[in-house]
C-alpha cells in the first residue's frame, strides 16, 4: 500500500478514532472525536494538524504551518475544519448510524486495505453497497474512494491492487458516472483519480481497457 507521508501523519494523529470507528453511534460523536484529535495535534504544533487545516479550513487553504499555528485557532475553528473535511459547510449533523452505514465502512476498509476477497464477500452479502453513498456531506461512494482525492485525508491511500479493486466494484454494479460533491463541484471517480498525485506516486496507472469501463 502506498501512503504519502502527510497522509500517514494524519492517520497517526487520528489513530484513536480510526481504529475504533464502530464504537461511535452517531455522526456527531464520531466527527467530534476527530475534532478532538485535531485539537490535540494543533496544540502540539504537529505538521499533520497544519496540513489538515490547510487542506480543509476555508479560511486557511494553502496556508503555511507557520501562518496556521500563529493564528491561534480556537476550538470552534478546529471543529469547523473537521466539518468541512467531511463535506459539511455548517455544523456537524447529529445522525445516528444504521447497520448499512457500518457495512459501508467495513467494505471501504477492505477496499483500501487491498483485502478484495473480504470486499467481494461483503458485496455479495450487501449488494446495495456499490450504490450507497457515505453519510458524510461529500456523499462519496465506494468507487470514489479509489480516486485517492477529495475524501477524508486519512483515507487517501493507494492499495497495490487498486485496479483489481475498481474492477470488483464495477463487477458488482458500481456506476462509474456517479458524482461526489467536492472542491465546489461534482466529480466522478476517474476525474478525481486523474487529478490526484497519490496514484501517480504509487506508480499505478489505469490502462486503456479499464478506462473505457470508467467513461
Amino acid at each position: 500500500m502506498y501512503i504519502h507521508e502527510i497522509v500517514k501523519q494524519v492517520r497517526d494523529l487520528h489513530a484513536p478514532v480510526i481504529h475504533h470507528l464502530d464504537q461511535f453511534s452517531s455522526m456527531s460523536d464520531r466527527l467530534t472525536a476527530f475534532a478532538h484529535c485535531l485539537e490535540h495535534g494543533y496544540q502540539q504544533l504537529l505538521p499533520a494538524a497544519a496540513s489538515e487545516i490547510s487542506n480543509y479550513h476555508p479560511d486557511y487553504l494553502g496556508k503555511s504551518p507557520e501562518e496556521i499555528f500563529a493564528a491561534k485557532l480556537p476550538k470552534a475553528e478546529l471543529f469547523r475544519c473537521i466539518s468541512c473535511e467531511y463535506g459539511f459547510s455548517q455544523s456537524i449533523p447529529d445522525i445516528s448510524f444504521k447497520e448499512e452505514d457500518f457495512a459501508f465502512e467495513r467494505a471501504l476498509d477492505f477496499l483500501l486495505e487491498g483485502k478484495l476477497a473480504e470486499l467481494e464477500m461483503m458485496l455479495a452479502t450487501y449488494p446495495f453497497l456499490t450504490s450507497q453513498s457515505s453519510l458524510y456531506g461529500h456523499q462519496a461512494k465506494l468507487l470514489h474512494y479509489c480516486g485517492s482525492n477529495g475524501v477524508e485525508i486519512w483515507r487517501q491511500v493507494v492499495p497495490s491492487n487498486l485496479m483489481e479493486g475498481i474492477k470488483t466494484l464495477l463487477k458488482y454494479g458500481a456506476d462509474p458516472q456517479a458524482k461526489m460533491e467536492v472542491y465546489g463541484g461534482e466529480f466522478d471517480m476517474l476525474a478525481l483519480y486523474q487529478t490526484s498525485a497519490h496514484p501517480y506516486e504509487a506508480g499505478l496507472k489505469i490502462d486503456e481497457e479499464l478506462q473505457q469501463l470508467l467513461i
Side-chain angles (χ1 to χ4, degrees):
M1 177 187 294
Y2 171 81
I3 306 178
H4 188 278
E5 180 57 31
I6 288 297
V7 175
K8 181 181 183 302
Q9 291 176 12
V10 173
R11 289 172 68 88
D12 290 343
L13 176 63
H14 293 292
V17 185
I18 292 172
H19 298 307
H20 302 283
L21 285 175
D22 59 353
Q23 294 186 8
F24 299 95
S25 61
S26 73
M27 175 86 68
S28 179
D29 287 346
R30 181 182 292 175
L31 297 194
T32 294
F34 276 119
H36 284 311
C37 289
L38 178 59
E39 181 184 14
H40 171 75
Y42 187 74
Q43 292 171 344
Q44 298 297 313
L45 306 182
L46 297 181
S51 179
E52 198 163 10
I53 293 166
S54 71
N55 273 279
Y56 294 103
H57 195 298
D59 297 337
Y60 293 90
L61 295 176
K63 298 291 186 181
S64 69
E66 293 76 16
E67 291 174 296
I68 288 171
F69 291 129
K72 306 292 184 183
L73 296 177
K75 179 185 296 188
E77 292 304 310
L78 300 177
F79 274 62
R80 182 185 177 196
C81 176
I82 291 296
S83 181
C84 291
E85 179 172 356
Y86 288 82
F88 301 108
S89 59
Q90 301 298 324
S91 59
I92 298 170
D94 190 16
I95 301 173
S96 296
F97 292 124
K98 300 177 181 178
E99 176 55 34
E100 54 263 35
D101 301 313
F102 289 116
F104 182 92
E105 293 287 325
R106 290 194 297 272
L108 179 53
D109 285 343
F110 288 144
L111 172 66
L112 297 182
E113 292 168 7
K115 298 178 178 178
L116 300 188
E118 291 88 340
L119 172 63
E120 193 151 5
M121 289 180 63
M122 286 286 297
L123 298 180
T125 304
Y126 304 101
F128 60 83
L129 286 176
T130 54
S131 59
Q132 180 174 333
S133 297
S134 167
L135 271 183
Y136 299 141
H138 52 55
Q139 297 186 318
K141 299 182 185 296
L142 291 176
L143 188 61
H144 290 126
Y145 281 90
C146 295
S148 306
N149 191 1
V151 294
E152 48 273 25
I153 196 169
W154 64 272
R155 275 179 161 155
Q156 293 183 26
V157 300
V158 186
S160 58
N161 58 358
L162 177 63
M163 301 307 151
E164 289 74 17
I166 294 173
K167 292 175 183 177
T168 298
L169 294 177
L170 294 175
K171 172 185 173 182
Y172 281 87
D175 178 7
Q177 303 301 317
K179 305 290 196 301
M180 68 171 286
E181 297 180 15
V182 67
Y183 303 134
E186 296 184 339
F187 300 89
D188 60 27
M189 175 267 165
L190 186 58
L192 293 169
Y193 181 95
Q194 291 174 332
T195 55
S196 175
H198 300 315
Y200 175 81
E201 293 172 355
L204 297 182
K205 184 178 180 181
I206 293 177
D207 62 29
E208 185 174 343
E209 180 181 356
L210 181 54
Q211 182 160 329
Q212 288 302 312
L213 296 176
L214 292 169
I215 61 177

